[in-house]
Amino acid sequence: MPQDSPAIDINSCDSEPIRTPGALQPHGFLLALAPGAALEVVQTSDNLVRWTGVAPQQALGRPLAQVIGAAAAGTLAPLLARGELRERPAYLATLGCDGEAFDVLAHAWDGLVLLEFEPAHGSYGADLQHLYPLVGDFLNQINEADTIEAMCALAVNEIRALTGFGRVLAYCFDQDEGHGNVLAESLADGYDSYLGQRFPASDIPRQARELYLANRVRLIHDANYTPSRLTPPDNPLTGKINDLSFCALRSVSPVHLQYMRNMGTQASMSVSLVVKGKLWGLISCHHAEPRMLSFHQRTVCEHLGQILALHIKNRRDADELQFRLEVRRSMVRILGGLTQGADFIENLRSVLPELLHFARAGGVAIVIDDRLIAFGDTPSDEQIRALAGWLGAHVHSEVFHSAHLSTAYAPAEDFVACASGLLAMQISRIHQHYLLWFRPEHVYHIDWAGRPDGKELRAGQLTPRTSFQLWRETIHGTSVPWRDGEVELAVEFRAALVGIALERAEQMADLAEELGRANKELEAFSYSVSHDLRAPLRHIVGFSDLLMETAGSDNPERRQRFLANIKDAARLAGKLVDDLLSFSQMGRAALRPIRVRMDDLVRGCIDRLAPDLPPHRIDWQVAPLPEVTADPAFLQLALYNLLSNAVKFTARSTPAVIRISSEQLPGETAFHVADNGVGFNMEYAHKLFGVFQRLHRMEDFQGTGIGLANVRRIVERHGGRVWATSVPGEGATFSFALPNHD
């Protein structure tokens, strides 16, 4: 390894013009042709004279045949005339030029046709019959591999056997910081092992990674080469320096060459592993001496890399799918447990072990206002409440996660052992309600291939690091990282929890509304018990007293009248109690809906009313009625109450007319019971369907005031609605609508 390498400023690596170096590696030469059939040479590399005997300045402006010979140009001309060149180099032919065989590569870029001539080395490199069957063998082997590491091991062994490099590594870049982690290697004797070690992200600058993504194979034949400059230095068509991104011979960064020499490597090749359009990793080949590979060898290596990348994608997708399925199953079990009881918080308490399993956590805590439930290995209650307060003040996303909590929340240093990692889910947008998962500290070691900060200062400039000796770093204060699938499913889980909470809130709102109505009914009931029920009881007591006072008299008619009044009062009290019992049962009994013929229900009610009908004539006008889906017993009771009311309030009409009809409304069927009775003032219509509400004096029209309340309760339990319209003295129409069930 050279000890007195020139100082190189690596601070400029990210801005270094690695795509436009203006030079080539000298183990081949380049000819740039102007587009068109003339095949005129407009640019060349300055080592042209070494390979062809033609000086660069003499080649410019001449036809290709005058530079490489008529025979060679004649072979290339029809191939170039096809117009099939793209941005990536394609193999055109192997031909002789000035007594030497060259593999000719061509691609179109930056307005030029770029021809690269590489010396053809040996028969093996050009013999496709030996190279491409290797792809089929590799496919058969990799299909049997179960892990990504096993796949990478197969690839590095195959590529080392194919290329003869002394060391072949496969490594992936971590998602967070971009460090390279060595997953597999194949070594010849005398080469240091880097298996399981990590290369710092700074070893490969950002723009170099972008170029690895664009150009999948790169060979450096000899790290000690002297670059061959372009003549003229700029693109003669654009006037700008040439973009050599896709040139196989492109000269590489001096920083990287020094890096190779520091590593004891004279030749290298990299094969990009691209997964889902991103640079997942590299296959990196090293050799202690200069080494050439033919285009065909490099192409086979590229194909092996593509096959490996495809299998990595499939394995990652399969593993991720299996992982998500397991987490989703856990989530479903949790959500199932949350629907069992009325108390949402207590339901969460019942699924605490499953909550731990869901997030692969060591502890879990639920913070709802003043209530705190903790399970497993967690910080103290005070620490959890302080953490929830910090989340409420500083975190505004639905889900927060960190594998190194103390870097964001300094007090977490006090409970690193049990909570180095945190996944926090905000259950409410308004209140500080959180579901918190804690992961314990995971102390681990990183074996670096040399200190990641081991760059040396020479002559005021930083140089590439010179040491690649193993350097171990111990990591404290972090947990096992949260996987993307865990975070995404946590967001989905939160949405489901919020949905359950909203459903419970709606249920509570409905219950509150029902309780409010029940309170009003209870108030009316209290009034009725204190007034309506007390009145007939007073009659019973009063007439009983009179009967006792006249017990010795001989006036049987008077005693008979007192007994009749007592009987009527007792009957009224009994009727009131019966109606109260019926109204109470109406809210508890289960509905048994079936298809019901409304015509039959109406006729049945009229028949029941017949024995009690008043002496005046009633004209029943019943229109054809449709079928509905309802509980027939309840619905008949509602109809009976409406029809009996109509009979009662038409007692003074001669003749009395009661009409029963229906109509189809959007999504529901409405039924109307209209009469020509006394009617009522619409100003008091809101009182009609309340329990114990009357719009007429009991002396004029007897009743308990419960019948219409029963109608409303029955219809609303069917999901329907009730209403009434009237003109005083002209009759009233009572209506109800039931939802359609297709």
Side-chain angles (χ1 to χ4, degrees):
M1 181 185 306
Q3 299 299 315
D4 54 352
S5 303
I8 301 170
D9 184 6
I10 68 168
N11 290 324
S12 61
C13 287
D14 273 337
S15 59
E16 189 179 6
I18 61 174
R19 292 176 180 264
T20 56
L24 303 177
Q25 299 181 55
H27 60 273
F29 67 92
L30 177 143
L31 294 174
L33 308 180
L39 302 183
E40 178 189 352
V41 176
V42 295
Q43 192 176 28
T44 183
S45 54
D46 62 11
N47 63 344
L48 177 66
V49 66
R50 170 192 168 191
W51 299 105
T52 66
V54 179
Q57 293 296 337
Q58 294 175 341
L60 298 179
R62 291 188 177 185
L64 180 64
Q66 295 182 18
V67 179
I68 63 173
T75 301
L76 296 179
L79 301 175
L80 295 172
R82 295 176 183 174
E84 298 176 354
L85 299 182
R86 300 181 181 179
E87 64 183 30
R88 296 180 183 274
Y91 171 78
L92 289 186
T94 299
L95 49 81
C97 180
D98 198 29
E100 189 164 353
F102 291 91
D103 290 334
V104 183
L105 314 180
H107 71 287
W109 189 245
D110 216 10
L112 299 172
V113 175
L114 301 177
L115 301 181
E116 297 179 80
F117 295 76
E118 296 183 7
H121 292 277
S123 60
Y124 182 76
D127 189 354
L128 302 184
Q129 294 181 356
H130 289 85
L131 288 176
Y132 285 99
L134 294 174
V135 176
D137 294 339
F138 179 66
L139 270 173
N140 292 332
Q141 296 178 58
I142 200 170
N143 284 331
E144 302 298 324
D146 294 328
T147 65
I148 291 177
E149 288 79 5
M151 296 175 188
C152 290
L154 286 172
V156 297
N157 286 332
E158 197 75 20
I159 288 177
R160 192 169 79 85
L162 170 66
T163 63
F165 276 97
R167 176 173 52 228
V168 181
L169 309 174
Y171 60 89
C172 66
F173 298 116
D174 64 50
Q175 294 183 359
D176 296 329
E177 298 179 334
H179 301 310
N181 301 289
V182 180
L183 303 179
E185 71 178 2
S186 181
L187 299 176
D189 293 339
Y191 284 82
D192 294 332
S193 172
Y194 295 110
L195 184 62
Q197 298 183 30
R198 178 178 294 190
F199 286 82
S202 60
D203 282 3
I204 306 178
R206 174 191 53 79
Q207 63 167 344
R209 293 176 191 244
E210 294 173 354
L211 198 50
Y212 279 129
L213 189 61
N215 199 352
R216 306 296 172 85
V217 178
R218 187 205 62 187
L219 173 70
I220 301 175
H221 155 255
D222 183 356
N224 290 316
Y225 74 82
T226 300
S228 177
R229 312 301 302 181
L230 293 180
T231 302
D234 295 331
N235 184 323
L237 300 184
T238 65
K240 299 179 181 178
I241 191 168
N242 295 69
D243 184 345
L244 302 179
S245 296
F246 298 101
C247 282
L249 295 172
R250 173 180 57 85
S251 185
V252 298
S253 163
V255 175
H256 184 73
L257 295 176
Q258 182 63 51
Y259 179 94
M260 289 177 59
R261 291 190 289 267
N262 291 349
M263 198 179 193
T265 298
Q266 291 299 308
S268 72
M269 182 181 72
S270 62
V271 178
S272 303
L273 299 176
V274 178
V275 176
K276 294 183 178 180
K278 295 182 178 180
L279 186 64
W280 181 86
L282 291 173
I283 294 176
S284 184
C285 308
H286 308 148
H287 204 67
E289 298 173 354
R291 188 163 190 81
M292 272 296 300
L293 291 181
S294 71
F295 175 79
H296 301 295
Q297 287 176 296
R298 301 198 304 269
T299 300
V300 171
C301 292
E302 181 180 8
H303 289 168
L304 295 181
Q306 291 172 341
I307 293 170
L308 174 60
L310 179 61
H311 279 73
I312 289 172
K313 172 190 174 298
N314 292 340
R315 171 53 57 192
R316 290 179 65 198
D317 288 348
D319 291 346
E320 183 66 16
L321 177 61
Q322 183 62 36
F323 173 77
R324 288 174 181 253
L325 284 175
E326 293 177 3
V327 176
R328 190 176 295 279
R329 289 192 191 101
S330 180
M331 181 174 71
V332 170
R333 289 193 293 269
I334 294 170
L335 294 176
L338 295 180
T339 60
Q340 301 304 311
D343 191 325
F344 180 68
I345 308 303
E346 290 305 313
N347 287 347
L348 281 173
R349 187 193 296 273
S350 69
V351 295
L352 287 172
E354 196 63 52
L355 282 172
L356 280 186
H357 182 262
F358 169 78
R360 278 67 175 168
V364 63
I366 304 162
V367 181
I368 306 289
D369 296 325
D370 294 332
R371 302 176 68 176
L372 190 153
I373 302 171
F375 181 76
D377 192 8
T378 69
S380 67
D381 288 0
E382 293 76 13
Q383 290 170 330
I384 292 174
R385 292 188 187 280
L387 175 60
W390 175 81
L391 289 168
H394 297 88
V395 177
H396 305 293
S397 57
E398 297 174 346
V399 173
F400 168 83
H401 65 95
S402 173
H404 196 179
L405 179 59
S406 60
T407 59
Y409 178 61
E413 289 282 1
D414 296 333
F415 46 84
V416 162
C418 65
S420 288
L422 171 69
L423 176 62
M425 176 193 301
Q426 186 179 19
I427 302 175
S428 170
R429 292 181 180 273
I430 301 174
H431 306 288
Q432 290 185 12
H433 297 173
Y434 288 98
L435 185 53
L436 308 172
W437 285 280
F438 303 103
R439 278 184 177 170
E441 182 180 28
H442 173 62
V443 179
Y444 64 99
H445 306 287
I446 299 177
D447 289 336
W448 294 94
R451 288 182 64 101
D453 57 349
K455 301 178 177 66
E456 297 182 359
L457 187 66
R458 293 186 181 179
Q461 294 180 319
L462 282 171
T463 67
R465 59 195 179 94
T466 58
S467 173
F468 291 86
Q469 294 297 315
L470 185 146
W471 183 77
R472 172 163 289 184
E473 179 182 12
T474 302
I475 305 298
H476 295 276
T478 66
S479 71
V480 173
W482 303 97
R483 294 174 58 165
D484 290 343
E486 289 173 316
V487 177
E488 291 171 12
L489 285 170
V491 174
E492 185 177 331
F493 182 38
R494 179 190 179 278
L497 282 183
V498 171
I500 292 174
L502 287 176
E503 182 179 353
R504 293 295 169 83
E506 291 175 355
Q507 292 174 354
M508 295 299 292
D510 292 342
L511 180 60
E513 182 179 352
E514 186 64 27
L515 286 174
R517 181 183 301 168
N519 284 335
K520 292 181 180 179
E521 292 172 353
L522 187 59
E523 292 175 4
F525 171 77
S526 301
Y527 173 79
S528 176
V529 170
S530 64
H531 183 270
D532 292 15
L533 189 56
R534 188 176 296 171
L537 292 177
R538 281 200 302 266
H539 286 154
I540 292 172
V541 172
F543 284 110
S544 297
D545 290 341
L546 291 174
L547 189 61
M548 292 175 63
E549 291 174 4
T550 59
S553 68
D554 295 327
N555 190 341
E557 293 181 359
R558 188 178 184 188
R559 288 199 301 273
Q560 189 70 25
R561 188 173 72 253
F562 289 165
L563 287 172
N565 286 334
I566 291 172
K567 181 180 179 180
D568 289 342
R571 182 185 293 112
L572 178 59
K575 180 69 166 60
L576 183 59
V577 171
D578 288 343
D579 286 351
L580 285 170
L581 181 60
S582 174
F583 182 77
S584 173
Q585 292 174 336
M586 202 66 62
R588 299 195 305 271
L591 296 179
R592 295 178 174 82
I594 60 172
R595 292 299 291 176
V596 178
R597 291 176 56 86
M598 290 295 287
D599 292 296
D600 295 342
L601 288 189
V602 170
R603 294 299 176 188
C605 291
I606 293 174
D607 291 342
R608 284 180 57 193
L609 286 167
D612 299 325
L613 288 178
H616 67 285
R617 185 176 66 85
I618 297 178
D619 181 10
W620 294 98
Q621 299 179 5
V622 183
L625 302 175
E627 290 186 353
V628 294
T629 299
D631 185 302
F634 281 144
L635 191 55
Q636 188 174 48
L637 179 58
L639 281 170
Y640 183 84
N641 282 328
L642 291 176
L643 296 179
S644 63
N645 264 7
V647 170
K648 178 168 57 178
F649 290 107
T650 57
R652 301 173 186 173
S653 303
T654 305
V657 179
I658 300 176
R659 297 180 300 277
I660 301 97
S661 62
S662 69
E663 65 173 319
Q664 288 296 327
L665 300 176
E668 60 184 3
T669 303
F671 297 91
H672 309 288
V673 177
D675 64 63
N676 63 341
V678 297
F680 59 86
N681 191 331
M682 286 296 291
E683 183 179 350
Y684 304 105
H686 64 281
K687 299 176 61 178
L688 276 174
F689 296 96
V691 67
F692 306 121
Q693 298 293 330
R694 299 188 187 90
L695 301 187
H696 303 87
R697 296 188 308 161
M698 184 178 290
E699 292 80 358
D700 296 331
F701 298 98
Q702 288 191 354
T704 60
I706 299 177
L708 289 180
N710 265 338
V711 172
R712 185 187 70 178
R713 177 165 283 191
I714 290 170
V715 172
E716 288 183 350
R717 288 202 62 194
H718 282 80
R721 58 193 180 96
V722 296
W723 70 96
T725 58
S726 177
V727 175
E730 297 182 12
T733 299
F734 288 82
S735 305
F736 67 91
L738 299 176
N740 294 332
H741 296 277
D742 298 331

